[in-house]
Structure formats: structure tokens, C-alpha cells
């Protein structure tokens, strides 16, 4: 009886694993098909390398990446003062 329960448990876990892998494969295939067809919006994939071999991939649309963050009336200009010059005087 214990052997039957063990086999049933392994079978159920195997079925769940196959379903999870199938859904993951389906998502990847649908994403690749959408990307090949052009998708809903044109996206640019830019990778910025940080010197360690990994990087940041920017998948925003060109409109989103060129969007200004701050308005022209925000922020202020501050004169740069070198601290070493202040200490020397």
C-alpha cells in the first residue's frame, strides 16, 4: 500500500511539473511570436553593460524612453563650489 501511495505521489508531482513546464514554454513561444510579428508597440531592447558581465535590459517603447522626467520649470541651478578651494583660503 505504501508503494502504491509513493508511486501515485511521484506521478502527481510529475504531472504538475509537466504542466508548469508546458505553460512556461507556451508563454515563451507566444512572446517570441508576438515579437516576430512586431507586437502591439515597437519596443527597443537596449542592454547596458555594467562591467561585470551582466546588465540592464531596457524594453520600453521609444516614446517612453524619450519622455522627459522633469519639466522645464522644475529644479534649480546650483553653482559648484570646490571644497578644496575653500579649505586653502
Amino acid at each position: 500500500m505504501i508503494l502504491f501511495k509513493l508511486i501515485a505521489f511521484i506521478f502527481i508531482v510529475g504531472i504538475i511539473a509537466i504542466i508548469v513546464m508546458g505553460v512556461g514554454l507556451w508563454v515563451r513561444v507566444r512572446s517570441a511570436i508576438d515579437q516576430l510579428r512586431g507586437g502591439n508597440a515597437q519596443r527597443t531592447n537596449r542592454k547596458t553593460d555594467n562591467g561585470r558581465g551582466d546588465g540592464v535590459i531596457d524594453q520600453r517603447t521609444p516614446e517612453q524612453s524619450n519622455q522627459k522626467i522633469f519639466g522645464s520649470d522644475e529644479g534649480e541651478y546650483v553653482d559648484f563650489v570646490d571644497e578644496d578651494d575653500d579649505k586653502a583660503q
Side-chain angles (χ1 to χ4, degrees):
M1 187 68 171
I2 294 177
L3 181 62
F4 177 73
K5 287 182 180 181
L6 180 64
I7 292 172
F9 177 74
I10 292 173
F11 180 74
I12 291 172
V13 170
I15 294 295
I16 292 172
I18 289 171
I19 291 172
V20 169
M21 287 188 293
V23 169
L25 180 64
W26 176 257
V27 168
R28 286 185 184 197
V29 167
R30 292 298 300 168
S31 174
I33 289 172
D34 188 39
Q35 200 172 34
L36 288 173
R37 288 186 179 167
N40 295 335
Q42 179 185 3
R43 294 192 177 268
T44 56
N45 289 330
R46 294 183 304 249
K47 182 173 181 179
T48 304
D49 190 12
N50 61 4
R52 295 184 307 220
D54 56 351
V56 177
I57 298 175
D58 185 7
Q59 295 182 341
R60 296 177 293 169
T61 62
E63 292 82 18
Q64 289 173 331
S65 62
N66 292 331
Q67 181 179 0
K68 291 190 176 190
I69 299 173
F70 300 106
S72 59
D73 60 336
E74 294 180 6
E76 64 181 86
Y77 178 78
V78 178
D79 287 330
F80 175 76
V81 178
D82 192 11
E83 291 181 6
D84 292 336
D85 290 343
D86 290 341
K87 291 177 184 177
Q89 293 177 354

